[in-house]
Amino acid sequence: MIDKILKVLKEQQISDYLLYDTQKETVELFFIKKNLDMRRAENVGSCSVTVYRDFEKDGVRCKGESGFVVEPAAAEAEIAGKCQKAYLAAGFVANPYYELPTGTKEECVTVESDMTQMSLEQGAGTMVKALFLADDQEKAFLNSAELFVEKNSCRIINSKGVDVSYVKYNVNGEFVVQCKEPQDVETHRHFSYDYLNTDGLTEMVKETLKMTKDRAVARTAPATGVYDVILSDEYAATIFDFYKDRSDGSLIYQHYSDYKTGDFVQGEPGEVTGNLLDLDYMPTVPYSIEGIPMKRLSCITDGVFQNIQATVRFAYYLNVPATGQYRKISCAPGEESFEEMKKRPGLYVVNFSDFQMDFMSGHFGGEIRLAYLNDGEKVTPVTGGSVNGSIFEAQKDFAFSKETQDTSKFAGPKAVMLKNVNVAGC
């Protein structure tokens, strides 16, 4: 397919282009309770093509771009038609000029994973055992589950000599835990790992079984007030997404983010009494979608912003190295144990109906499905109400657990305590 596309691009006299070819092999398993309801294997591929066009508008040099997708069965005439339409459309996209990356042909890289040593079916079998290992409760049980084991083969080619490729594995899915008494409730969880994280998945199921049983008995909302709020797992990871998003070169260039290298981004240095941020960009693939080599890179050290992450275009505008866009970050853990953290008076929220972190305003919040209220004497499951806070205030007094988590998007503290957060309740 790639040779066919390159032939058409040459015939159409399109000199600047980028090809991102993907081939995905998957084994997919669907369960109703512990019974395998459906098994499916797929092998699909496609190629995303971007064409570029240099032109001047009002005396200003511009580089426009437009893209399309080519399926394996596409004929040359169909590809040619798409090329012509995209090249025409690129002439109406008046982006300031930038240069495409140059490179050479490199050997294919296989991303390190324990899944490389087995078939996709074997990897799926290993994770299925981990999924159901903790499903031994009487009142709460796995109602349904979906499991996907993937092998992604990618090749990236551009008109400036870049020709790189890699193979990457991933296991992801979701499950629903149900408890019918004393009221019928369900909890939905999603997981994604770049290796066979059997311990992590089993622990997630175990925790979800417990929280679903507790949700079934929770009746009241916490009282309206100000609390020290603990977030764990995916909710803790969402907090750190704020810093990853704010460090993106496209947002910095467009002044949606005011981050500058060398600035202390955790408030005023003298006001910070909690954990300082130590964040790194973590490569999950060896090359970005534009073929830029990706490596571990410091984002924030001791609260000080170190490096902008940027695509080729915005790196050119900002005059910084092109790094590609990272989907995973890591954070150094704290020194306090998770158990000690939960013993403090406060509100530990384990399940939201929807939790969001706004990178523009710094607002975070969500509606509480289940939380544990520690009033200093006892711990009570509560439901209802909502959490509403500002990261600009909370970041001055972060407390990170020493226990960690590792998923395909985040590696760092399992839990984060945010102090003096507003909770709307009863």
Side-chain angles (χ1 to χ4, degrees):
M1 179 168 62
I2 289 179
D3 291 339
K4 189 190 301 184
I5 296 171
L6 292 174
K7 178 176 180 289
V8 171
L9 289 168
K10 185 176 180 180
E11 291 173 348
Q12 296 293 320
Q13 298 183 341
I14 296 176
S15 57
D16 285 338
Y17 54 81
L18 171 69
L19 275 60
Y20 183 74
D21 182 74
T22 59
Q23 190 75 27
K24 179 186 288 188
E25 300 174 51
T26 63
V27 169
E28 306 172 359
L29 303 177
F30 302 85
F31 292 88
I32 301 298
K33 296 186 177 177
K34 294 183 179 181
N35 300 315
L36 181 62
D37 182 60
M38 183 170 62
R39 179 189 183 280
R40 187 167 60 197
E42 291 189 349
N43 192 334
V44 297
S46 64
C47 185
S48 297
V49 182
T50 304
V51 298
Y52 302 92
R53 184 173 182 176
D54 293 346
F55 59 94
E56 285 193 4
K57 182 177 181 181
D58 300 328
V60 177
R61 194 178 182 188
C62 300
K63 183 183 286 290
E65 65 178 75
S66 182
F68 57 92
V69 175
V70 178
E71 301 300 334
E76 288 188 15
E78 179 185 349
I79 300 172
K82 289 185 174 183
C83 282
Q84 292 167 3
K85 290 180 180 179
Y87 191 70
L88 177 63
F92 296 95
V93 182
N95 293 325
Y97 177 80
Y98 60 97
E99 294 181 358
L100 300 180
T102 59
T104 58
K105 183 175 176 57
E106 304 289 347
E107 293 292 327
C108 182
V109 177
T110 298
V111 179
E112 185 176 348
S113 170
D114 49 7
M115 285 186 278
T116 61
Q117 306 302 318
M118 61 183 70
S119 67
L120 298 184
E121 290 80 3
Q122 289 173 318
T126 299
M127 292 303 284
V128 166
K129 291 178 182 177
L131 178 67
F132 290 105
L133 185 61
D135 187 20
D136 56 2
Q137 305 292 311
E138 291 184 4
K139 293 185 178 181
F141 55 92
L142 278 170
N143 173 285
S144 59
E146 300 177 3
L147 179 72
F148 306 90
V149 181
E150 303 174 350
K151 177 183 178 183
N152 294 282
S153 301
C154 301
R155 187 179 177 189
I156 305 158
I157 300 174
N158 80 356
S159 51
K160 303 297 183 182
V162 171
D163 188 350
V164 295
S165 54
Y166 65 87
V167 176
K168 181 179 181 294
Y169 292 81
N170 175 266
V171 55
N172 64 84
E174 56 190 46
F175 60 87
V176 176
V177 169
Q178 183 178 8
C179 181
K180 293 187 175 182
E181 296 177 357
Q183 56 179 326
D184 196 347
V185 296
E186 292 182 342
T187 304
H188 175 271
R189 299 293 298 273
H190 177 270
F191 58 90
S192 179
Y193 308 111
D194 292 333
Y195 64 101
L196 299 178
N197 189 359
T198 54
D199 292 341
L201 182 56
T202 299
E203 184 63 23
M204 179 185 287
V205 173
K206 183 178 179 180
E207 292 174 350
T208 309
L209 289 165
K210 181 181 184 305
M211 76 169 67
T212 308
K213 287 193 296 183
D214 290 341
R215 170 68 181 86
V217 300
R219 297 289 185 179
T220 60
T224 297
V226 177
Y227 295 82
D228 291 347
V229 173
I230 300 173
L231 304 177
S232 64
D233 300 311
E234 66 265 36
Y235 304 126
T238 299
I239 292 295
F240 296 103
D241 281 343
F242 172 80
Y243 302 99
K244 178 169 67 69
D245 293 342
R246 297 276 285 197
S247 67
D248 189 281
S250 64
L251 302 180
I252 292 172
Y253 175 74
Q254 297 173 87
H255 302 293
Y256 293 125
S257 169
D258 58 0
Y259 276 16
K260 296 178 182 178
T261 54
D263 283 358
F264 190 81
V265 297
Q266 208 172 332
E268 296 297 327
E271 296 178 354
V272 177
T273 58
N275 290 123
L276 289 172
L277 288 166
D278 277 304
L279 302 180
D280 284 352
Y281 305 114
M282 301 291 289
T284 56
V285 291
Y287 301 101
S288 75
I289 195 171
E290 297 173 303
I292 302 299
M294 302 187 75
K295 59 183 180 179
R296 183 165 181 160
L297 187 66
S298 175
C299 175
I300 298 172
T301 302
D302 292 333
V304 177
F305 183 52
Q306 303 294 321
N307 291 289
I308 296 171
Q309 57 156 329
T311 60
V312 169
R313 175 186 165 199
F314 290 102
Y316 187 88
Y317 296 162
L318 295 168
N319 195 28
V320 298
T323 65
Q325 288 183 305
Y326 290 78
R327 68 186 301 266
K328 181 174 181 176
I329 54 172
S330 71
C331 178
E335 298 181 353
E336 185 175 8
S337 75
F338 187 26
E339 290 304 316
E340 288 297 320
M341 196 178 282
K342 290 188 289 185
K343 290 179 181 178
R344 297 194 206 175
L347 192 68
Y348 170 34
V349 186
V350 295
N351 194 16
F352 288 93
S353 59
D354 183 29
F355 182 75
Q356 297 185 3
M357 174 78 248
D358 190 317
F359 77 89
M360 289 283 289
S361 67
H363 173 263
F364 61 85
E367 296 180 357
I368 300 169
R369 291 200 68 197
L370 176 67
Y372 297 103
L373 175 62
N374 185 338
D375 62 6
E377 297 181 359
K378 62 180 180 178
V379 177
T380 306
V382 292
T383 184
S386 62
V387 170
N388 292 279
S390 169
I391 195 68
F392 296 113
E393 292 299 322
Q395 67 182 356
K396 300 174 185 177
D397 201 10
F398 277 141
F400 303 151
S401 69
K402 65 180 181 181
E403 292 84 359
T404 60
Q405 58 174 310
D406 187 9
T407 70
S408 61
K409 292 183 62 179
F410 178 70
K414 178 178 176 62
V416 178
M417 176 175 280
L418 310 172
K419 299 188 178 175
N420 301 318
V421 176
N422 290 320
V423 174
C426 62

